[in-house]
Amino acid sequence: MNADIYDVIHHRRDVRAEFTGEPIPQDVLDRILAAAHAAPSVGLSQPWDFIVVTDPATRHAFYDHVQSERAAFAATLTGAAADRFAQIKIDGVLESSLSIVITYDPERGSPAVLGRHAIADTGLYSVCLAIQNLWLAATAENLGVGWVSFYREPHLRHLLNIPTAIRPIAWLCLGPVTHLQATPDLERHGWRRRRALDAAIHHDHW
Amino acid sequence: MNADIYDVIHHRRDVRAEFTGEPIPQDVLDRILAAAHAAPSVGLSQPWDFIVVTDPATRHAFYDHVQSERAAFAATLTGAAADRFAQIKIDGVLESSLSIVITYDPERGSPAVLGRHAIADTGLYSVCLAIQNLWLAATAENLGVGWVSFYREPHLRHLLNIPTAIRPIAWLCLGPVTHLQATPDLERHGWRRRRALDAAIHHDHW
């Protein structure tokens, strides 16, 4: 395990093509989920849940849906962008060892969630903090994580019997990988280049 | 520096009362911002910006606004909840060394953000992943972070001259601390108890 936090942060990648499909030991999965669950949350609401998806039929059904959403996005592109997108693999749903779906429950801790009265979305934000903890812990465990967002929320809710009041936030593919790419896939394929950090820093005001 | 990722994840706290106000060395601040900037983002859009706020007048103006929002929330509480909330410090805006406001630009990488066509909020999610990287890096550097969300977005946008198209996502207080609490403030003050991890885990479906 490589547990140095800066190494993990800088080597972490969004994985699509490098999953081996080997099993994840239960103790490793437990550590990763405990790391996610240790995230900060608005009003200590911990509004997340984790659905560990291993069922092949469920994964195949989700994969088929992702392919149809891929086609929908591709149809919005023309020229060089369409050509580049055609080269990019967008998911490892079938090749990864398992998937974890993270959800958001806006009722957790309601009605008076401390710190959420002025900004309703802070509950969503909390769930994302848990996702990043999960991602970094998995990277430290030499696993890869791939966030798949080519899906419609109602479709995923129906597929996993998620109650209407609960919102799915992410489908994460997880598992051992052959390696992590040194450069993000989208940059390697010419889709976008990373921005210089200096351009993102402002002092005292915008 | 304590760089072991699991130590950092489990000892990280949302800090209000423990800031010392000592300065943050520039190289430390640079490492923390680089960690945030290394976060994953939908379509490699990196839609975040960081406003480093040191100006005392700006911080005092924000502090005053936070106090008025505190009063607004307090007015929604009665009985034991009101009594508990009265004991809870909700910000370290004046005592921390500096603040960092993180913003979201939905136009970054538009119009075709790869992975965002079906779920507009994935752009917001990316910003939160950067926030958690920042939080963990700061914790590894023995600094504290406190997320203040008792504010109205239009107020903060006006205070920092943030363009209308850009959304402020978080005001984070940052700086050296006397120590990190072993138990989250809201649990110590009886506001909420942390949920057992087992209760948050589902298998294959909700």
Side-chain angles (χ1 to χ4, degrees):
Chain A
M1 189 168 83
N2 176 3
D4 179 84
I5 193 165
Y6 281 115
D7 275 355
V8 170
I9 283 174
H10 290 288
H11 291 116
R12 180 213 52 75
R13 283 291 168 266
D14 199 342
V15 174
R16 280 85 174 86
E18 293 80 15
F19 290 112
T20 67
E22 295 167 286
I24 301 171
Q26 187 62 46
D27 61 325
V28 173
L29 184 60
D30 290 344
R31 282 199 294 273
I32 292 170
L33 290 172
H37 194 59
S41 59
V42 64
L44 201 59
S45 55
Q46 302 183 294
W48 48 71
D49 281 83
F50 309 102
I51 307 175
V52 179
V53 179
T54 56
D55 178 55
T58 304
R59 291 162 70 188
H60 276 271
F62 184 69
Y63 174 78
D64 289 345
H65 174 65
V66 167
Q67 297 318 302
S68 70
E69 286 300 322
R70 177 190 177 108
F73 180 69
T76 69
L77 305 175
T78 56
D83 294 342
R84 277 194 290 267
F85 183 61
Q87 305 303 316
I88 298 173
K89 182 171 168 66
I90 59 163
D91 78 278
V93 172
L94 299 182
E95 302 90 345
S96 56
S97 307
L98 55 81
S99 292
I100 300 178
V101 173
I102 296 93
T103 59
Y104 169 53
D105 179 359
E107 294 301 313
R108 191 87 43 82
S110 284
V113 177
L114 194 160
R116 208 182 71 184
H117 80 281
I119 307 167
D121 281 345
T122 51
L124 286 177
Y125 301 166
S126 300
V127 176
C128 299
L129 304 182
I131 291 170
Q132 186 63 1
N133 267 11
L134 187 160
W135 207 326
L136 295 176
T139 305
E141 300 279 1
N142 298 314
L143 303 182
V145 173
W147 183 328
V148 183
S149 59
F150 280 76
Y151 65 86
R152 300 285 165 175
E153 290 178 11
H155 182 97
L156 182 53
R157 189 180 276 125
H158 179 74
L159 182 67
L160 301 185
N161 286 324
I162 299 170
T164 309
I166 309 290
R167 184 174 176 189
I169 303 301
W171 179 296
L172 303 180
C173 300
L174 181 70
V177 290
T178 54
H179 64 292
L180 295 179
Q181 296 285 350
T183 304
D185 280 11
L186 298 191
E187 188 164 305
R188 286 190 301 119
H189 288 291
W191 181 264
R192 266 183 81 77
R193 296 180 143 250
R194 282 172 287 182
R195 187 183 191 208
L197 173 56
D198 282 354
I201 299 176
H202 311 248
H203 293 281
D204 280 324
H205 53 77
W206 185 275
Chain B
M1 189 168 84
N2 176 3
D4 180 83
I5 192 164
Y6 281 115
D7 274 355
V8 170
I9 283 174
H10 290 288
H11 291 115
R12 179 214 52 76
R13 282 290 168 267
D14 199 342
V15 174
R16 279 83 173 88
E18 293 80 16
F19 290 112
T20 67
E22 295 167 288
I24 302 171
Q26 187 63 46
D27 61 324
V28 173
L29 184 60
D30 290 345
R31 282 198 294 272
I32 292 170
L33 291 171
H37 194 60
S41 59
V42 64
L44 201 60
S45 56
Q46 301 183 295
W48 48 71
D49 281 83
F50 310 102
I51 307 175
V52 179
V53 179
T54 56
D55 177 54
T58 304
R59 291 161 70 188
H60 275 271
F62 184 70
Y63 174 79
D64 290 345
H65 175 65
V66 168
Q67 297 318 301
S68 70
E69 286 300 323
R70 178 191 177 106
F73 180 69
T76 69
L77 304 175
T78 55
D83 293 342
R84 279 193 289 268
F85 183 62
Q87 306 302 317
I88 298 174
K89 182 171 169 65
I90 60 164
D91 79 278
V93 172
L94 300 182
E95 302 91 345
S96 56
S97 306
L98 54 80
S99 292
I100 300 178
V101 173
I102 296 93
T103 60
Y104 169 54
D105 179 359
E107 294 301 312
R108 190 86 44 82
S110 284
V113 177
L114 194 160
R116 208 183 71 183
H117 80 282
I119 308 168
D121 281 345
T122 51
L124 285 177
Y125 300 166
S126 300
V127 177
C128 300
L129 304 182
I131 290 170
Q132 187 62 0
N133 268 11
L134 187 159
W135 206 326
L136 295 176
T139 305
E141 301 279 3
N142 297 313
L143 303 181
V145 173
W147 183 329
V148 182
S149 59
F150 280 76
Y151 65 85
R152 300 286 165 175
E153 291 178 10
H155 182 97
L156 182 53
R157 189 180 276 126
H158 179 75
L159 183 66
L160 302 185
N161 287 324
I162 299 170
T164 309
I166 308 289
R167 183 173 176 191
I169 302 301
W171 178 296
L172 303 180
C173 300
L174 182 69
V177 289
T178 54
H179 63 293
L180 295 179
Q181 296 286 349
T183 304
D185 280 11
L186 298 191
E187 188 164 306
R188 286 190 301 120
H189 288 290
W191 182 263
R192 268 182 80 78
R193 295 180 144 251
R194 281 172 288 181
R195 189 183 190 207
L197 173 57
D198 282 354
I201 299 176
H202 311 250
H203 294 281
D204 279 324
H205 53 78
W206 185 275

